[in-house]
Every structure is written in structure tokens, then in C-alpha cells.
Amino acid sequence: MNQRSTTLIIVLSTLAAVATGKTIRGGDHHRELQRNRIIGGSEAQEDRYSFAVSLQDRIGHFCGGTLISPDTVLSAAHCGGGGYDIVVGRHDHGDRDGEVMSVKKERKHPSYESDTTHNDFMLIFLDKPVSVNNVKFASVTDNFVRANEAVTVVGWGDTDIDLDEEELPDELQEVEVYTIGNKECDDSEGIIDGERDNYNGQITSSMLCAEHPKRKDSCQGDSGGPLVKKSGSGSGEEFELVGVVSWGVGCAHDDFPGVYARVSAEYRWIKEEVCKRSSRPPASFGCGGDSADKVDDSASTTNTIPSGSWRTVMNEDFIGGFGKFSIGGLGSKHYPSAKGKRGVALVENRSTLSSNVMSLNSGESRIRVDLSAQFLNFENNDEFCLDSLDWSSGDLKYKEEKCWSLRDTESKKWINKTFVFDAPSRSVSIRLRCAGNDKHDDVLIDKVQVRAQ
């Protein structure tokens, strides 16, 4: 079974062609990552699926993705790597409308397996939120999609069923398909190119299969593109992202359904990463709030602080020293006063500042961190991060909870930041970290409060 390359091969006519590559699991050939094919569909109504985005490099479109918040795209992990932009709000590739967005960071699922395409997810965080007005966002939930549900896949893929021929539309295409159970999908077998093949043992819990009786099912869209459930109509129509186009055998083959990454299976990972890295996460995620963003952009922010009472676990004002951060860190400094504040700690370049371990009461499961900080000499790719001690790891490593950059706040001005995350265990320790690339990248910290709920 052959992997279909995630890059475009340019022939003399400069047409994009799909290339087969190394064997990635079972059998001898045929198994391909989905690229640029949407069979048996029709042109979508312009702006109806405006959450569908195009990943484009200097050659052109090579993968699809789904806008799930103003600065976050969900795509396929096998689409990742290399330099590219995200094109938003452009129905027709022959036009120049919409917006071309730069990529700030891409995060592949930590358990993605390239040879099996298990957990074929990648989150792409944009350099800034989109500003085009007519863009919708697809919702992400943990709702499990059962068999026999009507779903829609969209993309700018090849509309010719023949793998040796290409008919590439400029306009976004759509096709309705129907989900099938994972066991039925795993039992799929048949003849392709004169040889017998099957899906046996290849369909994991992170996958979702869909097909159509009229040969519309196996190569429906671009890698990374959306598979959605629709509800409502007109201006009230809503779209729930249930799958990410991943792989399949052949193209619109009667015996082999299309295989998608099942979004509900990794909802928790998606939510945690988006809450950490997005400046405008979906309101449905209930991410920790950011008080500075609320003051500066209260009309549009979606960050919320869970209601209810909070117990103060730690207050530190750094007057007289590091105080509750006495276990210190790497390269941190203390000042009796700085920038108009009494008692200030500093982290710079790659330095850290770690707190003592704090005990939680029975039943407390959420941690809220409020801090006052000032960014000095930051550049756009520098970050100030909040980490928590991961008690589940044998060597007690810190894991990242939230990072802020100049895209989220202002430089050389005291600002207040708030973030809420799940308590890692019955105890908590936080670490403040500067992730810069220059010795002059500094963050001053005036106050830190930790509360539990």
C-alpha cells in the first residue's frame, strides 16, 4: 500500500500531480493519503462553507483545513511541514479575495503515527486572527458520530474518478456521504487494479469512515479538509466538524470507504492545545480567561472564567525576595523595585521561575493563575509561558499550560493575565518561563496569585 505524497510534483505543463511513495502499512500498494480529489460532488454555494481553508505554498494549493476559531485551523498531520500560508474566505482559487494568513505555529498530535495515520490531526495557529467578515467557524465537540449519519465533505479536489487523470476545479466542491461503523469499515475488502486488498486491522478508534452508494465516497476531498454535520438552515445553519480527510484505498471505490480522523476521539487534546495557544478560542471550550484581553477587546473576546468561589492557595508579591518561588529556576533575578513596582522578579531569554509545591483540598480540580507582568524588548516570535508540574510523568517534568506573545498583549506596559487549567493532581507547582531568542528578551513579574476550585 502506497502513501500518496503530501507535496505536489510539478510536470512540464506545471500541473499538480499525485505521487505514490513508501509502503506505510500492510499489503503491497494502493493505500493512499487523500489529496486533491472530490468525486461525484458539485460546486458549493459561495460562502456557505467559509470555514474551509486552503493550505498553499509557493506552488499552490496542496491541502485543506477547517477554521475552528479566528486564529486556529484544524488539518491533517500528514499535511504538516515546510513553509506555507493559510488562505481564508476564498471560494474560487482563480480570484484574489479573502485573506492570506501567515502561520505562527503548527502542532501535530503527539501520538500521530505516519505509518498508520493513527491520530492524523494537526492544529495550525495563525499569526493573527482573521479579519474577513463573512467567515464562519465550524464547531468542535466530543459528540460521537454513529453509523448511517449524513455528513458533508468539501474541498478543491480532483473531480475525475480516474487516478491517472486530473480535472481540478477552481471552485470549492461539496458531496454528501454517509458514515459507517468502524467494524464494518475494518472488514472492507475487494479487488483494486486486479489485486485483492483490505482494511483489516487498520481502522483505529481515532478514525471515522464514510461512503456513498453512487461512488462518491473514497477520495472526496483534500487531505486535512472538513467532514461536517449540518443543522439548521439559512443564516442559522451550523456546522459541526466530525472528521478530517485522511486516507483511503483507490478513489470512490465500491468496496473501500473514505477514512477520516475522528474529531471526537481527540476532542480533549484539541481543546487543551487551543486553550493554551489561541487568543480567541471557541466559547464552547470554556478556556481560562485573559483579563488583559477582556479590557482591551471585551466586545469580541470569548475567554471566560468559571463561576463559583475560589480558594486562594498562594499570593506572592516578591517584596523581599522570591518568596513562594524559593525553589527558583534557571537564570531568574530579583529586584527590590523596578518599573514603578516594589518587589519584581525577572525571567529572560530562556530562564525560568518555579514555585514551591502547593497542596490542594479534596475535590479541588481547577487552578486559576492571576499575574501582573511586563514584556521588555519582545519580538513577534517571543513567548512568555505558564507551565505546571506534570505529576503523571516519572521524572516530574513541567508541561506547558499557556503562552502569551506580542500578538496577545502590549510591550513595556504592566498588564494582568489570567489562565485557568485542570489541576494535575492533589498538589500543584507552576513555572513561569521566557521563551525568547535573545538575551534582551525579558519579562518582569510583579505579583502572582494561585487559586483553586
Side-chain angles (χ1 to χ4, degrees):
M1 295 182 182
N2 288 345
Q3 173 180 354
R4 189 174 297 173
S5 170
T6 57
T7 59
L8 297 179
I9 304 299
I10 303 304
V11 295
L12 291 179
S13 64
T14 72
L15 290 175
V18 177
T20 57
K22 63 181 181 179
T23 298
I24 55 179
R25 66 168 147 168
D28 295 323
H29 64 295
H30 303 139
R31 183 180 183 279
E32 297 170 343
L33 300 178
Q34 296 309 308
R35 283 292 316 269
N36 299 336
R37 303 183 69 80
I38 186 158
I39 306 302
S42 58
E43 181 180 348
Q45 178 183 338
E46 187 166 0
D47 296 334
R48 184 182 187 185
Y49 304 104
S50 55
F51 51 79
V53 304
S54 170
L55 278 61
Q56 298 188 12
D57 58 15
R58 61 185 179 84
I59 297 170
H61 171 85
F62 68 91
C63 267
T66 305
L67 202 63
I68 62 173
S69 87
D71 63 354
T72 310
V73 170
L74 182 59
S75 186
H78 73 259
C79 289
Y84 57 91
D85 293 321
I86 305 294
V87 180
V88 179
R90 183 177 298 172
H91 173 78
D92 187 331
H93 282 168
D95 294 339
R96 289 293 178 264
D97 59 345
E99 194 170 9
V100 179
M101 310 296 294
S102 297
V103 174
K104 175 182 177 182
K105 187 186 293 286
E106 63 176 35
R107 299 284 289 186
K108 294 183 180 180
H109 192 284
S111 299
Y112 166 61
E113 299 174 2
S114 59
D115 56 338
T116 65
T117 53
H118 179 61
N119 286 322
D120 192 11
F121 298 100
M122 177 175 67
L123 284 164
I124 303 169
F125 297 95
L126 306 181
D127 191 57
K128 61 181 180 180
V130 298
S131 60
V132 285
N133 295 323
N134 61 337
V135 170
K136 300 176 183 177
F137 307 106
S139 65
V140 174
T141 75
D142 59 358
N143 296 331
F144 184 83
V145 179
R146 301 187 181 278
N148 301 315
E149 295 199 40
V151 289
T152 301
V153 61
V154 297
W156 289 271
D158 188 357
T159 57
D160 194 318
I161 196 170
D162 189 344
L163 285 173
D164 295 323
E165 302 290 337
E166 286 195 323
E167 186 177 336
L168 301 174
D170 285 335
E171 302 85 6
L172 186 69
Q173 304 290 301
E174 67 171 318
V175 65
E176 186 176 75
V177 292
Y178 298 88
T179 58
I180 66 172
N182 277 26
K183 184 180 185 305
E184 180 184 351
C185 187
D186 195 72
D187 290 340
S188 299
E189 59 182 30
I191 303 296
I192 182 168
D193 294 340
E195 297 185 32
R196 180 164 293 279
D197 208 338
N198 63 72
Y199 279 0
N200 301 165
Q202 301 181 67
I203 306 302
T204 72
S205 60
S206 78
M207 298 176 187
L208 170 67
C209 300
E211 63 181 3
H212 193 284
K214 294 183 179 180
R215 307 190 79 185
K216 299 181 180 182
D217 54 342
S218 290
C219 300
Q220 301 94 329
D222 305 308
S223 280
L227 180 74
V228 296
K229 283 181 62 176
K230 297 182 288 188
S231 62
S233 61
S235 60
E237 189 173 31
E238 296 182 351
F239 303 89
E240 179 185 352
L241 182 66
V242 298
V244 175
V245 179
S246 184
W247 65 276
V249 164
C251 190
H253 194 285
D254 290 339
D255 298 321
F256 297 104
V259 185
Y260 305 79
R262 184 186 289 269
V263 171
S264 64
E266 293 304 322
Y267 170 77
R268 182 172 181 177
W269 173 78
I270 295 168
K271 175 182 174 180
E272 288 179 351
E273 286 293 325
V274 172
C275 285
K276 289 177 188 177
R277 301 180 183 280
S278 171
S279 63
R280 301 284 181 82
S284 62
F285 282 4
C287 301
D290 188 322
S291 59
D293 289 342
K294 287 183 178 180
V295 170
D296 295 339
D297 196 14
S298 57
S300 59
T301 183
T302 59
N303 290 330
T304 58
I305 299 292
S307 60
S309 60
W310 292 85
R311 181 180 70 89
T312 299
V313 179
M314 182 262 280
N315 264 320
E316 182 53 58
D317 59 11
F318 299 106
I319 296 175
F322 287 119
K324 302 296 193 305
F325 288 79
S326 61
I327 64 173
L330 176 65
S332 54
K333 299 177 182 178
H334 176 265
Y335 298 91
S337 64
K339 302 294 181 180
K341 300 286 187 177
R342 288 185 60 209
V344 173
L346 176 141
V347 289
E348 61 182 352
N349 194 10
R350 296 285 176 177
S351 66
T352 64
L353 183 64
S354 304
S355 78
N356 299 339
V357 176
M358 297 163 279
S359 297
L360 303 179
N361 292 339
S362 177
E364 292 179 335
S365 61
R366 300 281 279 168
I367 301 298
R368 171 175 172 170
V369 177
D370 297 90
L371 58 87
S372 174
Q374 182 172 157
F375 295 8
L376 301 177
N377 303 315
F378 255 43
E379 298 168 338
N380 285 338
N381 58 345
D382 298 325
E383 294 182 319
F384 172 56
C385 300
L386 166 67
D387 305 330
S388 70
L389 191 60
D390 184 3
W391 298 91
S392 64
S393 62
D395 48 2
L396 296 181
K397 292 183 178 180
Y398 283 89
K399 68 174 184 177
E400 183 181 295
E401 296 291 352
K402 174 69 175 179
C403 288
W404 295 277
S405 69
L406 287 184
R407 300 172 186 85
D408 310 309
T409 189
E410 297 181 57
S411 183
K412 298 182 179 180
K413 177 182 178 181
W414 286 106
I415 48 93
N416 298 317
K417 291 292 181 184
T418 299
F419 190 70
V420 177
F421 58 92
D422 292 333
S425 73
R426 292 290 303 276
S427 301
V428 63
S429 172
I430 64 170
R431 180 177 70 178
L432 303 174
R433 168 171 54 90
C434 184
N437 57 9
D438 186 274
K439 66 180 180 180
H440 298 299
D441 299 328
D442 301 336
V443 178
L444 297 175
I445 306 157
D446 175 48
K447 291 182 175 65
V448 179
Q449 182 183 61
V450 178
R451 288 182 275 182
Q453 184 185 69

